[in-house]
């Protein structure tokens, strides 16, 4: 099993990410799976009676609004970064956390490297699957790049200008 | 000017540490060149033709003399003894060693400077009027708002990887000297009928390959909501801006594609959620920041019109200089002075380490220890006593800053072009120089009067050629450098984009071409008519005819 960053630790992952072309019939009953969002949108509640746990993943052009009403069914929502420089997922995570109130795990998948982690955690991510050719242990340092932040974020409900007054 | 507290300082210091480690990993092969690229760009580091180029942020163009002396020292110790003022009011170094960049950043951090977000696909340095706070036509001082935006945009986690670069400009005066209409977001500080402060908000302006004048989507945004509204715009852009084609990735393309009304609706919908949240600005913060921008200790003085007129009668050179290089000040007895970085024979905007030290010295003695950079690549001493103007002029002459050409044809905006920039199609500096040499007669230059000539070495339009009254663009024609000329651009209020004159020219033809254009203007103008007004009246045809006439 692969190692991922969860919170601020390295853990062994017990989820299976199913690729986009997966069909409904191929979804195992007992495994913990993260399914492509299209499958959820098509089969929805038929998937909630499985024995295994359920997560869903969004590609960078798949909008989080589509699952905003079904968040209670997912233990994990993964957001794909097809490229390091594709920043759409940052907005998606913020919306899931701040607007839709999602409390489960939000994990970053795809081209995920040390130097995005700090921003990701601020946007509401709490799990990171570091690209396979890189060491997640080394990447951990990226979570601590800064100790001061100007803006609000998942890690900081008040902007600095309000905290400065205190 | 704004002074860092422990938080601001901590952020720049942590940035130095972070970038040092990123650079170390790159040099150790732990980061590929491609992976290092977005990281270094967001820190203003380009890999150029001959060497790296490092762009240092000068937030809204404001500097104190300690910072200027630091820049001078960096130019000496890490570069070839000079620096360059960019068209976004920043400073650039053209010859640093990659390995030494972290050390340069550490030096900058000691004087509250950095290179954060001076390049890359993120929110860039917010720019404003170079006469902010002193201009007689100012309604609202834009500087506190620029600083508030600077802090909000610095390492904003959601907008760290936008589809493309993002530029915000703020204007608070009657005239628009910040060119807000050709920015991704333009903000104009205004007061409503009740006297409350707010912003008129424009989106989707921009230069580059597909230039647009932006559209105003909000007439009055109460100041409390500035940041939440910006956040809403940026979120819509971050989600829906194109990422498949870098030439179509700017917000202007999204605004055009959706239509400005639909775009505005999307922003409103997003804003409705954010509006009254914790990022809503509070009086106490605006006050805290504004305190850094109160007037310096001006003395109660009187205007020196008579004394200056007398000096002018004795010194025609001084008279000339004063008409071009000074700007009215809101306080009686004071005046703002522009130091021209456009003498003939130097690259526009270049300044040596010695000159930087000299500027710092002059600012300390004549202008409360502060100075500004302008997007037209000059330097401003904003608070000079009129009764010291003449002695200042003499000192400026000794240091090569007194070329009396501000706003004239030879005060060109010019990007570094093919001499430095790896994206260039053509050189721009030699073209600027050849035109400066052709128009070296001051009387004639004065007679031609106000004119913006802007030169870019490629489509990216760093030299703002689309909004030059005369714009010059370097193009590549079968591997050779050619220049396309356009006319009628205007960056101020009611901005307009220049129209292409016709087929492009070889470099050696350029002084002739510009001369013909000027001749048409001189022949056709009515009394006191500026070039741009003549152009707007007679259109492009007469210029075209003259420039492309067979036997000319
Ligand atoms: S306009 Fe082109 S050539 Fe000039 S600095 Fe910008 S990218 Fe380089």
């Amino acid at each position: 099993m692969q190692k991922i960053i969860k919170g601020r630790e390295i853990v062994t992952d017990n989820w299976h990410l199913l690729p986009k072309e997966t069909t409904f019939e191929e979804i195992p009953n007992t495994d913990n799976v993260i399914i492509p969002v299209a499958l959820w949108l098509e089969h929805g509640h038929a998937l909630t009676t499985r024995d295994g746990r359920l997560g869903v993943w969004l590609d960078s052009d798949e909008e989080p609004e589509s699952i905003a009403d079904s968040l209670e069914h997912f233990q994990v929502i993964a957001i794909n970064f097809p490229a390091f420089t594709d920043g759409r997922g940052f907005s998606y995570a913020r919306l899931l956390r701040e607007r839709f109130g999602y409390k489960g795990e939000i994990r970053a998948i795809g081209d995920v490297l040390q130097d995005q982690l700090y921003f990701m955690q601020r946007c509401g991510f709490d799990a990171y699957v570091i690209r396979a050719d890189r060491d997640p242990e080394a990447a951990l340092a990226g979570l601590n790049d800064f100790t001061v932040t100007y803006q609000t974020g998942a890690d900081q409900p008040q902007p600095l200008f309000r905290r400065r007054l205190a | 000017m704004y002074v860092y507290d422990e938080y601001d300082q901590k952020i720049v210091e942590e940035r130095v540490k972070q970038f040092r480690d990123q650079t170390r990993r790159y040099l150790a092969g732990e980061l590929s060149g491609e992976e290092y690229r977005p990281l270094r760009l967001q820190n203003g580091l380009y890999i150029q033709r001959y060497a790296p180029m490092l762009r240092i942020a000068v937030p809204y163009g404001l500097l104190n003399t300690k910072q200027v002396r630091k820049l001078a020292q960096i130019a000496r110790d890490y570069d070839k003894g000079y620096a360059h003022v960019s068209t976004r009011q920043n400073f650039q170094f053209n010859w640093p060693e990659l390995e030494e960049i972290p050390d340069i950043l550490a030096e900058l951090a000691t004087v509250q400077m950095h290179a954060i977000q001076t390049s890359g696909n993120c929110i860039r340095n917010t720019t404003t009027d170079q006469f902010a706070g002193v201009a007689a036509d100012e309604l609202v001082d834009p500087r506190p708002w620029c600083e508030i935006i600077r802090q909000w945009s610095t390492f904003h986690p959601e907008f760290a990887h936008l589809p493309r670069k993002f530029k915000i400009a703020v204007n608070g005066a009657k005239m628009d000297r910040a060119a807000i209409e050709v920015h991704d977001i333009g903000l104009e500080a205004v007061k409503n009928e009740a006297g409350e402060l707010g912003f008129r908000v424009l989106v989707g302006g921009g230069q580059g390959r597909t230039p647009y004048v932006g559209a105003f989507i909000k007439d009055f945004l109460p100041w409390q909501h500035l940041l939440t509204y910006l956040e809403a715009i940026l979120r819509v852009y971050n989600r829906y801006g194109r990422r498949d084609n870098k030439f179509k990735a700017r917000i202007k393309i999204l605004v055009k594609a959706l239509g400005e009304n639909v775009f505005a609706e999307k922003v409103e919908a997003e804003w409705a959620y954010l509006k009254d949240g914790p990022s809503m600005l509070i009086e106490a913060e605006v006050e805290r920041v504004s305190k850094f921008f109160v007037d310096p200790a001006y003395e109660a003085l009187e205007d020196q019109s008579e004394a200056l007129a007398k000096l002018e009668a004795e010194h025609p050179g001084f008279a000339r200089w004063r008409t071009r290089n000074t700007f009215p000040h809101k306080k009686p007895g004071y005046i703002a002075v522009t130091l021209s970085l456009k003498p003939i024979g130097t690259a526009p905007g270049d300044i040596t380490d010695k000159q930087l030290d000299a500027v710092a010295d002059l600012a300390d003695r004549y202008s409360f220890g502060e100075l500004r950079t302008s997007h037209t690549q000059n330097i401003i001493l904003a608070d000079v006593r009129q009764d010291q103007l003449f002695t200042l002029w003499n000192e400026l002459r000794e240091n090569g800053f007194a070329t009396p050409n501000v706003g004239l044809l030879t005060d060109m905006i010019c990007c570094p072009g093919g001499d430095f920039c790896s994206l260039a199609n053509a050189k721009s500096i030699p073209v600027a120089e050849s035109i400066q040499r052709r128009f070296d007669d001051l009387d004639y230059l004065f007679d031609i009067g106000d004119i913006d000539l802007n030169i870019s070495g490629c489509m990216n339009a760093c030299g703002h050629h689309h909004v030059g009254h005369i714009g010059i663009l370097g193009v590549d024609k079968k591997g050779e450098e050619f220049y396309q000329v356009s006319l009628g651009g205007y960056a101020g209020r009611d901005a307009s984009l220049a129209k292409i004159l016709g087929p492009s020219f070889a470099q050696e033809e350029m002084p002739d071409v510009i001369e013909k254009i000027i001749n048409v203007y001189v022949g056709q103008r009515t009394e006191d008519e500026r070039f741009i007004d003549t152009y707007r009246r007679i259109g492009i045809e007469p210029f075209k005819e003259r420039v492309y006439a067979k036997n000319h």
Side-chain angles (χ1 to χ4, degrees), chain B residues 415-418 421 423-425 456-463:
Chain B
C415 82
C421 176
L423 301 171
N425 285 327
S456 304
C458 79
M459 281 299 185
N460 287 323
C462 304

Side-chain angles (χ1 to χ4, degrees), chain B residues 46 48-49 53 55 84 87 92 165 414-428 455-465 473-474:
Chain B
Y46 288 76
Q48 293 289 39
R49 265 189 194 193
M53 182 271 276
R55 184 179 296 148
H84 175 79
T87 55
Q92 296 181 172
K165 58 187 167 183
C414 178
C415 82
D419 289 298
F420 297 99
C421 176
S422 50
L423 301 171
N425 285 327
K427 292 193 174 68
S428 51
I455 310 177
S456 304
C458 79
M459 281 299 185
N460 287 323
C462 304
H464 299 186
H465 65 277
L473 165 67

Side-chain angles (χ1 to χ4, degrees), chain A residues 2-13 76-79 81 90 93 97 105-132 134-137 139-144 154-155:
Chain A
Q2 67 177 345
K3 300 273 185 206
I4 68 163
I5 300 176
K6 169 76 189 176
R8 293 176 165 264
E9 282 163 19
I10 306 290
V11 300
T12 304
D13 190 26
V76 173
I77 298 174
I79 297 173
F81 289 80
F90 294 110
R97 284 277 186 247
E105 175 183 309
I106 303 184
R107 68 163 62 181
I109 58 172
D111 199 9
V112 178
L113 299 171
Q114 170 176 343
D115 297 288
Q116 292 134 313
L117 299 192
Y118 174 75
F119 294 126
M120 284 175 169
Q121 87 183 333
R122 298 218 64 218
C123 289
F125 287 93
D126 58 353
Y128 315 89
V129 183
I130 301 298
R131 211 174 67 195
R134 293 300 152 92
D135 174 15
E137 194 80 47
L140 259 182
L143 288 168
N144 302 319
D155 55 343

Side-chain angles (χ1 to χ4, degrees), chain A residues 133-151:
Chain A
D133 62 332
R134 293 300 152 92
D135 174 15
E137 194 80 47
L140 259 182
L143 288 168
N144 302 319
D145 278 348
F146 295 93
T147 58
V148 182
T149 60
Y150 286 119
Q151 316 79 2

Side-chain angles (χ1 to χ4, degrees), chain A residues 63-65 84-92 94-95 98-99 113-116 118-119 122-123 131 133-134 144-153 157-165, chain B residues 2 5 7-8 10-11 14-15 18 21-22 25 30-31 35 38-39 150-152 154-158 160-161 227 231 235 238-240 243 270 273-274 277-282 284-285 288:
Chain A
E63 311 206 290
E65 281 83 352
F84 181 90
T85 51
D86 186 336
R88 283 175 280 191
F90 294 110
S91 290
Y92 297 169
R94 281 197 76 177
L95 289 170
E98 293 170 29
R99 188 160 306 163
L113 299 171
Q114 170 176 343
D115 297 288
Q116 292 134 313
Y118 174 75
F119 294 126
R122 298 218 64 218
C123 289
R131 211 174 67 195
D133 62 332
R134 293 300 152 92
N144 302 319
D145 278 348
F146 295 93
T147 58
V148 182
T149 60
Y150 286 119
Q151 316 79 2
T152 62
Q158 297 288 316
L160 182 61
F161 66 76
R162 287 179 190 266
R163 285 177 274 137
R164 261 173 171 143
L165 297 175
Chain B
Y2 187 74
D5 66 8
Y7 298 111
D8 305 298
K10 190 106 208 219
I11 286 177
E14 289 178 339
R15 170 52 150 190
Q18 180 196 37
D21 185 58
Q22 289 169 342
R25 282 184 276 142
E30 294 167 31
L31 277 175
E35 287 161 358
L39 305 178
R150 181 191 76 81
Q151 297 192 15
W152 163 81
T154 298
F155 299 130
H156 195 299
E158 186 177 347
H161 293 288
L227 298 185
E231 200 144 310
R235 181 171 288 171
N238 190 42
R239 294 187 63 180
Y240 302 109
R243 288 174 186 268
E270 190 59 47
Y273 289 106
L274 300 169
S279 300
M280 187 169 100
L281 276 167
I282 48 179
E285 170 67 356
R288 182 187 78 88

Side-chain angles (χ1 to χ4, degrees), chain B residues 242-415:
Chain B
R242 284 182 64 170
R243 288 174 186 268
D244 57 331
N245 178 340
K246 86 175 209 179
F247 298 115
K248 299 206 159 128
R250 296 288 291 269
I251 193 174
K252 60 193 174 186
I253 305 289
L254 178 65
V255 173
K256 270 281 170 291
L258 292 174
E260 62 193 65
N261 294 331
V262 173
F263 181 84
E265 279 164 26
K266 275 189 178 291
V267 171
E268 286 291 321
E270 190 59 47
W271 184 48
Y273 289 106
L274 300 169
K275 194 169 182 260
D276 300 311
S279 300
M280 187 169 100
L281 276 167
I282 48 179
E283 192 98 45
E285 170 67 356
V286 179
E287 246 171 57
R288 182 187 78 88
V289 176
S290 298
K291 276 205 193 105
F292 293 105
F293 300 98
V294 295
D295 283 349
Y298 292 128
E299 286 181 46
L301 301 173
E302 280 176 20
D303 279 333
Q304 301 290 310
S305 317
E306 259 172 54
L308 290 174
K310 199 160 156 265
L311 284 165
E312 289 190 343
E314 292 159 25
H315 306 273
F318 177 64
R320 246 198 312 228
W321 173 79
R322 189 165 80 105
T323 54
R324 293 313 317 184
N325 295 32
T326 65
F327 186 82
H329 197 287
K330 64 179 183 185
K331 285 279 170 212
Y334 284 88
I335 193 159
V337 172
T338 300
L339 282 55
S340 171
L341 299 186
K342 318 286 177 67
I344 294 175
T346 36
D350 274 7
I351 182 164
T352 66
D353 63 322
K354 284 198 190 67
Q355 283 183 310
L356 282 165
D357 278 332
V359 170
D361 189 44
L362 292 170
D364 275 338
R365 287 190 288 121
Y366 288 95
S367 196
F368 297 100
E370 284 185 15
L371 53 107
R372 294 123 184 262
T373 51
S374 70
H375 81 274
T376 51
Q377 303 175 285
N378 289 315
I379 285 179
I380 285 94
L381 299 180
D383 297 297
V384 176
R385 287 172 62 138
Q386 291 178 10
D387 57 10
Q388 298 181 341
L389 192 60
F390 185 71
T391 43
L392 172 62
W393 173 63
N394 281 310
E395 293 209 48
L396 292 178
R397 285 200 297 169
E398 283 165 29
N399 290 291
F401 295 128
T403 313
N405 64 348
V406 171
L408 297 179
L409 184 68
T410 53
D411 180 17
M412 303 168 200
I413 295 181
C414 178
C415 82

